[in-house]
Every structure is written in C-alpha cells, then in structure tokens.
Amino acid sequence: MLRPDHFQVRYVINPWMEGNVNRAKQVSAVRQWDKLRVILSGLGEVKLITPQPGWPDMVFTANAGLALGSTAIISHFAHTQRQGEEPFFEKWFGDNGYTLHKLPPHLFFEGAGDALFDSDGARLWAAYGFRTSLETHSHLAKIFNVETVSLRLVDPRFYHLDTCFCPLPGGYLLYYPQALDISSNDTIDRLVPSDRRIHLGEIDAINFAANCVVVDKTIALHKASSTLKERLASAGFGLIETDLGEFMKAGGAAKCLTLRLDETVNTKRMSACQVTTREVEVEGQLIDSSLMGSICDLIVSDGGSFMVKDLRLGQKRNEPSIAKIEVTSPTGESLDHLVQKIIRLGARLPAGEEKDAICEGANQDGVAPEKFVATTIYPMQVRILGEWITVDNQRMDGVIVIEKRTARCSLIRDLKRGDQVVIGGEGTRLVRRPDERGAGRRFGFMASTISSERKVELAIERVAWEMNRIRERRGRLVVVAGPVVAHTGGAPSLAWMIRERYVSALLGGNAIAVHDIESAMFGTSLGVDLHSGRPATGGHRNHLAAINRIRGAGSIARAVGKGDLTSGLFFELVKQNIPFSLAGSIRDDGPLPETEMDLIRAQEDYARLIKGADMILMLSTMLHSIGTGNMTPAGVKLVCVDINPAVVTKLADRGSLESVGIVTDVGLFLSILRQRLFVSLR
Ligand code: NAD
C-alpha cells in the first residue's frame, strides 16, 4: 500500500473523477486509508511504498504491476497522467528482489487493475477495452505460464477489471455482468459453474463491492447491500465494511488501494491464451473514402484490437495509400469472423495467405446454407482455383453462387437445390474503384450528400447536366415516382422529360399512375383541382372513375390507343414506347390492370428495368425508392428527392458513394429541372 499523502483528484481519466477535481478531502482520505491499512494488517502483512509528490493516483497500488511468486510484470499506463508512477514502482519491485518483465512499449498494461488470478492460481482473468491492450494477454500467459482468459470491459464506469470483478476462494466469482460484453459473459458462464457465480446488482456495483480485498474467507470492502451480505454469508464469507468515499471520487476503493504480493503459485498451471493476431492489407483512397476509419471502428466495436504496422500515404490525389494492419481478437474463431468483415469492407489478406472461396450446396430450393456470405451494393470478387473472379449481377442482400469458373449474385429465394453457395467469407473480397472518394469526384454535388434550401438550385443544375450527358451518350435514366409528383403538379414537367427522351423507364406504384391518369382525364389529383388547388365538385370519385375507365379499356396502352387517355406521364410513356413497371401494395385502389400484385414478379420487373442504369431519379416515394435502392449496385448515381430529410438521409446513407439527397418539394424540383434541361436543349 502507499500512504495517500499526495492523493487528490487532479485530472479526469475516468467518469468518477468528473466533477471531483480537487474535491477529495485530504484529512478524511488519510483517515479512511489508515483504517483500511489497520484492517488488512489484521489479516496479513502490509508492505508500504514511499509516496511521491506529483503522482496523485499512485495510492492505487493495484496498478503498479502484477506479481506471482518472485516474478513481476511492470505496468505501462494508458494515460500520460499516470505514466510517471512507473519508475517508482519498478524500483520498488527491483529493490525487493523481483525478476522484472516489461511488455513491448507500444502496449498498455495496468497491472492487477486489469489482471486477476483465480484464488487457486490456475487461471488469470485479463481485461481489455479501456486501459490494458488485448495484445498483452498472450505475454501474460507466457511470462506467468498460466491460462489467461480475455474479458472485454464495456462500461466506462468500470474501466478496470478489478472495479467490477473479483475471484473468490472456493471457485466463487463476484462480478457485475453488465460491465462486460456478451461474449465475455459467455466465457464466464462456460468456465464458472452457475452456483459459483455471484452477480452484483447495479447499486453494489457502483459502490465498488467487487473492488474488495479478500484474505481467506474475509472480504474487506467499501459497502455492500444486505442482499449481497446474505449471499456472501451463505457462501461462507465474512464482510468488513470500511468507508472509502474519498477514494471513490477518483474511481477506486479497497482493491485499488492494494497490490497483492502473495498470489497462490499453482504448480500445475499451464500457459494458454486464445488471443490471436493476423495481418490484413488495405489499399486505396484510405483517407478520402474514410475506409481506414471504418476498418478501425469495426475492429474495436467487434471486440478486437489493431495496430497499424505500416502506412504509406499516396503523395498525390490519385495515388492510392497502402496500410498493413495487425488485427487481434480474443480467440481464433472471433478473429476469423472479424477478418471476414474487414475483407468485406475492402481489405485483403497478404499475398500467399489468400485461399479459394468455400462453397456449400444448397440442400433445398430457395434456402441458403447457414453460413452464406451476404452481398452488398459493392462489386465483389471470389477466388476460384487461385484466380479472382468478379461476381456477376451484383446487388445487395444476395448470396454468391459459383458455377465452374464463374460467380453470380442470387437472391436466396432464387436458389436451386445443389447450387454451390459461397460460405464463410474466405476467398471473397470487395473491389473498390481507384477513384473512390467520399467527396464524389465523379459527381460533384455529392460532396454535401444532402442539399437543401440554397443548395437545391445548384444540385438541380448538376442533375440536369448529368441527365444531358446521359441522354447524349444514349445512357439509361430510370425514374422512380410516387403520387406526390401528380399532387404537386410535377407531372407535366416529368411528361416533358419523357417526351424529350430523357427517361428510359419509369417505376412506381399503382398510385402514381392512378393520380396521373386522374389529372389527365379530370384535371384533379385525389379530387383536388390542380389549377385552383380547391376540391372539385364530386372530385372524390375521380380517381375511381379513372381506374374504372382504364379497366374498361383493358390496359393503359389500350386506353391511349382508344383515345381515352390523351395526356400525362403514362400517355407519354405509351406514346414513346418507354417501359414502366407498377408494383402493387396493400393500399392500392383498383388496381390498374398493369399493377403487378405479385410482389416477387414486381421485384423482378424492377430489377430488369434498372439493369444498366446510369442514374436513378427517385421522386417522393419512400416505398419504391427504398425497394429500388436495395437492388441497385454501387456505381449507379442515385438522386433522391423528398420533402422529408429523414427519407433522404435513409437513402443517401445506404452506402453508395454516388447517392445524393435533395430535400425539397418534388413539384418545384421537376419544374426547375425542366427549365434547366430546356435551356440546355436550345
Ligand atoms: P410513401 O410514404 O412511400 O412516400 C411518399 C413520400 O413523399 C414520403 O417520403 C413523403 O415525405 C414525400 N412527400 C410528401 N410530400 C412531398 C412533396 N411535396 N415533395 C416531395 N416529397 C413529398 O408513399 P407512396 O409512395 O405515396 O405510397 C406507398 C404505396 O401506396 C405505393 O405503392 C402507392 O402506389 C400506394 N398508394 C396507392 C394509392 C391508390 O391506389 N390510390 C394511393 C396512395 C398510395
């Protein structure tokens, strides 16, 4: 232990310190510490280290290092605020005859704060997540020749393992499960029988009941609830409570204030640690595309750890950067899963480590093997007989089927029994284009992603420019439109674009056709006069009358042929022989004869019409826009126009770098777009 002569909360490196800077009462702290020392002296021998001015947290000697027998590993603190304590602790261990070990300098290790031996000395529980690096665990296992089990801390209030976890004699474990992630809890459940697991409730956890000093069957701690006291008593433990409130202000209690030097040396212990490391490489516009950030975030959120071994930044805008990343995970299995996810983001295994994709035959029509690889909007390749083959028909939410030396994307429902489906992720990779950048160099206005107010006009101008280029090179522009296009008076502008051959196909629901045809036949949309904006007399039946007339004719095309439909979007589509697809929904009136009420067929029809699209204009329909977005591969420019920013964000966020949202009234959008296109046509 170390007398708290210089103890004070001087900085904030954990949530307990927040609001407590300079608020610890020195006299009370000394009194509380002394009481603990007297209690512990009654249970064993207490050795003291000399306090050092300027290191206010040095009183928490649990973090000095970790000792077993005459071997000690010296700590290397994660925060600079505590690193100055290291030489004093090192000197103490040296002076007291310990054989010292230091871990590689790039790794952090906070001693017995994050590494706790079982009472029989057979196992070491080691934590990571806030302070100690996961990579240290395999070193601990080797140095102490002990089975080391990794646990991940997830609640910043319990930033060290000893704040929420305490192995007790007799194989008992006192801990707060919520402070650890799910897989750590699974590990504990596997290793500790249920009748030995003593769960702390939140109140006991935040009173640091787990931060206790255990000597034989006596537990010294800050505070315990009556329930906990009873539970511990039934397991044969006696409790001594002693107020340590001043130290709680800095985030420590009984255990933090002590370092145990007489851990049981189990002669039968054996070195074992499942922590596994593997290298991945990533190349491309790592910074501009924020790929590097995404990979690092994924590793951490998945419970892994990383070390960038080599980062070569491209010197010019077009030059790719290359990085080698060492990825570490608590087990080999969790590492495999993690690496597959990183590969799906765009990383690759180093040359020589790549393997062919693994397939498993579907054993039922329309059902994929359990471990299928799910596709995204980004182009993928699979490795077949040593060669990387690009997957055909790329779309999101599909699986990959390999046939001889080809690979294609398939929906699960389209699988046939025996189809060889890629599983596991080994031998698959994402193909990123060399010019891929967050700022969307190829499609300038996408830098801002969502344009509103003043930016709208500029965005429309760029859309018009792109539409003209697509038209000139006879590319494909597909429009997805909701009925609001008709309600807002946008239909004539869109009809003009169809007439001028800007549009290659139109997708929508029953409603866009119903309301367009209603306005063409009766001058109303949902009964509202489109010129005056007032409800037309008897207008409430107009949409039904429109549906009725089309049904009478047999189809929209026949109604045009008969002269029943003489203007509007659908008139122009029929006249120009431009394909359209209407997908049914439960809201539909009628429906119109063309509306496809079999949704699988409707999806297939949509997929057929968007094939080869250069750009998709999504106009005020959440349902059909998202439906279309889901089947569109990366590389297609998506423009989503909606008055609701949430809808626009949802579409713009789906991962395509080339999607842009424009928050505005769709009628206004179409009218300005028409003007811009018109000017350029002249
Ligand atoms: P939706 O909710 O999917 O989309 C409507 C979108 O329009 C919303 O995102 C909304 O924010 C946006 N919007 C509203 N006013 C706008 C404006 N002035 N400018 C720009 N955006 C605006 O609904 P939906 O696509 O209209 O309909 C969903 C389904 O219901 C479709 O399949 C449709 O065909 C069907 N439906 C059928 C009928 C009918 O048969 N009579 C009527 C309505 C809807």
Side-chain angles (χ1 to χ4, degrees):
M1 296 178 77
L2 180 142
R3 270 182 67 83
D5 296 353
H6 307 291
F7 168 66
Q8 182 51 275
V9 183
R10 294 277 186 223
Y11 41 73
V12 177
I13 56 169
N14 67 50
W16 302 88
M17 289 177 148
E18 256 169 51
N20 277 328
V21 172
N22 294 329
R23 290 194 128 158
K25 295 191 196 87
Q26 177 58 180
V27 179
S28 313
V30 172
R31 202 182 314 125
Q32 289 177 357
W33 180 88
D34 213 46
K35 241 176 121 180
L36 178 68
R37 186 190 56 80
V38 171
I39 294 168
L40 298 182
S41 302
L43 300 170
E45 184 194 347
V46 176
K47 295 190 184 212
L48 295 180
I49 315 177
T50 317
Q52 300 294 336
W55 304 109
D57 272 346
M58 207 174 157
V59 67
F60 298 120
T61 50
N63 310 126
L66 184 65
L68 181 68
S70 59
T71 304
I73 301 179
I74 303 298
S75 287
H76 177 36
F77 287 91
H79 293 102
T80 47
Q81 289 93 328
R82 294 199 67 184
Q83 286 171 357
E85 300 171 27
E86 293 166 16
F88 300 110
F89 287 131
E90 185 177 347
K91 182 168 181 329
W92 186 89
F93 279 116
D95 291 349
N96 284 270
Y98 283 85
T99 307
L100 297 188
H101 290 266
K102 274 191 180 181
L103 300 178
H106 64 279
L107 300 178
F108 298 118
F109 173 60
E110 300 211 348
D114 270 333
L116 299 166
F117 285 103
D118 260 345
S119 66
D120 66 0
R123 178 181 295 140
L124 180 67
W125 300 91
Y128 72 104
F130 294 108
R131 304 287 182 87
T132 293
S133 314
L134 173 62
E135 292 85 342
T136 60
H137 296 183
S138 45
H139 293 274
L140 303 181
K142 272 192 211 117
I143 294 169
F144 288 130
N145 184 35
V146 67
E147 178 198 353
T148 303
V149 176
S150 301
L151 301 175
R152 181 180 173 216
L153 296 165
V154 289
D155 182 336
R157 295 174 302 170
F158 304 100
Y159 57 94
H160 274 149
L161 186 63
D162 68 358
T163 60
C164 58
F165 186 99
C166 179
L168 299 174
Y172 286 99
L173 183 64
L174 181 67
Y175 70 114
Y176 182 50
Q178 287 87 332
L180 298 160
D181 74 357
I182 295 172
S183 76
S184 304
N185 273 291
D186 289 346
T187 305
I188 294 170
D189 292 352
R190 202 163 29 83
L191 297 176
V192 183
S194 60
D195 64 333
R196 303 278 127 162
R197 300 196 291 261
I198 305 177
H199 287 183
L200 290 175
E202 162 121 26
I203 303 282
D204 280 318
I206 58 177
N207 277 324
F208 272 10
N211 198 256
C212 54
V213 180
V214 188
V215 183
D216 301 327
K217 286 276 181 176
T218 306
I219 300 176
L221 46 60
H222 170 62
K223 210 185 266 180
S225 67
S226 48
T227 326
L228 179 61
K229 281 180 193 156
E230 277 165 32
R231 177 73 182 91
L232 287 170
S234 72
F237 293 96
L239 254 60
I240 305 175
E241 284 178 294
T242 183
D243 183 10
L244 293 165
E246 293 309 319
F247 300 98
M248 298 280 291
K249 291 176 184 169
K255 168 65 175 48
C256 290
L257 292 165
T258 59
L259 175 68
R260 191 171 196 120
L261 299 172
D262 64 344
E263 298 287 359
T264 309
V265 179
N266 186 319
T267 48
K268 291 201 190 116
R269 70 191 196 278
M270 284 203 309
S271 172
C273 181
Q274 294 200 44
V275 172
T276 318
T277 297
R278 202 168 168 181
E279 196 174 278
V280 296
E281 293 176 355
V282 53
E283 182 174 350
Q285 301 297 342
L286 302 186
I287 308 235
D288 288 16
S289 68
S290 61
L291 179 59
M292 197 68 186
S294 310
I295 290 178
C296 298
D297 286 351
L298 172 72
I299 295 172
V300 173
S301 66
D302 236 55
S305 173
F306 67 87
M307 173 90 195
V308 179
K309 299 295 276 184
D310 191 10
L311 174 62
R312 260 179 295 141
L313 284 181
Q315 301 293 302
K316 299 221 176 84
R317 195 164 169 77
N318 285 328
E319 226 170 72
S321 308
I322 301 176
K324 287 189 175 151
I325 308 172
E326 210 173 71
V327 188
T328 302
S329 192
T331 65
E333 198 184 345
S334 62
L335 182 69
D336 281 350
H337 287 146
L338 180 54
V339 167
Q340 295 313 335
K341 284 189 197 171
I342 302 169
I343 288 174
R344 239 160 285 147
L345 275 186
R348 60 174 184 234
L349 292 174
E353 278 188 39
E354 288 173 339
K355 294 195 183 125
D356 277 356
I358 304 166
C359 290
E360 192 179 314
N363 52 20
Q364 224 178 308
D365 283 358
V367 181
E370 277 284 309
K371 289 188 175 167
F372 66 84
V373 170
T375 57
T376 68
I377 57 170
Y378 295 109
M380 281 182 94
Q381 292 186 328
V382 289
R383 196 167 181 271
I384 308 174
L385 299 172
E387 206 182 320
W388 286 100
I389 309 282
T390 302
V391 176
D392 280 342
N393 235 351
Q394 184 72 39
R395 57 158 293 165
M396 71 186 272
D397 295 343
V399 295
I400 303 166
V401 175
I402 291 187
E403 273 160 1
K404 295 195 181 122
R405 287 200 153 203
T406 65
R408 64 177 163 84
C409 210
S410 164
L411 289 177
I412 290 180
R413 68 170 181 241
D414 295 332
L415 287 174
K416 292 276 167 287
R417 187 162 182 258
D419 274 351
Q420 292 300 306
V421 179
V422 175
I423 56 162
E426 191 86 63
T428 65
R429 72 181 187 195
L430 226 85
V431 190
R432 289 191 168 255
R433 290 189 317 274
D435 63 344
E436 192 174 277
R437 282 168 192 276
R441 289 191 323 133
R442 299 206 306 158
F443 202 33
F445 65 82
M446 265 163 298
S448 58
T449 318
I450 292 169
S451 316
S452 61
E453 294 162 14
R454 281 183 303 115
K455 289 189 202 148
V456 167
E457 285 217 26
L458 179 67
I460 297 176
E461 209 166 292
R462 301 280 174 87
V463 174
W465 180 80
E466 192 67 37
M467 279 174 67
N468 275 324
R469 294 184 57 229
I470 292 172
R471 181 173 178 268
E472 275 161 27
R473 63 168 193 267
R474 296 182 188 275
R476 283 178 63 73
L477 168 76
V478 177
V479 174
V480 185
V484 189
V485 168
H487 302 325
T488 54
S493 302
L494 187 54
W496 177 85
M497 290 171 219
I498 296 168
R499 203 158 51 238
E500 294 294 339
R501 315 273 328 160
Y502 281 100
V503 180
S504 311
L506 185 128
L507 314 178
N510 191 57
I512 175 67
V514 170
H515 297 295
D516 168 63
I517 294 168
E518 177 194 341
S519 59
M521 288 179 173
F522 304 103
T524 59
S525 180
L526 262 187
V528 173
D529 188 299
L530 280 170
H531 292 291
S532 67
R534 288 198 210 99
T537 320
H540 68 281
R541 62 184 293 284
N542 287 358
H543 69 287
L544 296 178
I547 296 170
N548 197 44
R549 256 195 228 173
I550 301 293
R551 289 178 72 90
S555 71
I556 298 173
R558 286 215 191 112
V560 172
K562 277 174 65 190
D564 286 349
L565 181 63
T566 54
S567 65
L569 294 179
F570 284 79
F571 168 79
E572 295 295 350
L573 288 168
V574 172
K575 277 284 175 204
Q576 305 298 329
N577 204 15
I578 290 169
F580 61 86
S581 176
L582 302 177
S585 83
I586 202 153
R587 280 168 71 176
D588 295 348
D589 296 313
L592 289 165
E594 275 89 345
T595 303
E596 179 57 73
M597 300 310 279
D598 177 334
L599 281 183
I600 292 184
R601 263 200 254 151
Q603 282 189 2
E604 284 167 0
D605 217 27
Y606 266 40
R608 182 177 58 79
L609 288 178
I610 59 168
K611 216 165 179 167
D614 298 284
M615 178 165 166
I616 303 181
L617 208 51
M618 300 172 158
L619 306 173
S620 60
T621 167
M622 189 159 65
L623 185 73
H624 298 280
S625 300
I626 293 175
T628 310
N630 287 351
M631 48 182 95
T632 309
V636 181
K637 290 156 188 153
L638 300 186
V639 179
C640 169
V641 183
D642 201 290
I643 204 140
N644 180 353
V647 173
V648 161
T649 311
K650 196 169 164 66
L651 270 148
D653 274 359
R654 60 187 278 285
S656 167
L657 291 171
E658 286 162 320
S659 63
V660 63
I662 302 177
V663 180
T664 191
D665 174 84
V666 71
L668 195 67
F669 170 85
L670 285 167
S671 138
I672 303 176
L673 181 61
R674 178 193 167 165
Q675 280 170 26
R676 292 283 183 275
L677 292 170
F678 184 68
V679 169
S680 55
L681 276 190
R682 291 196 312 168

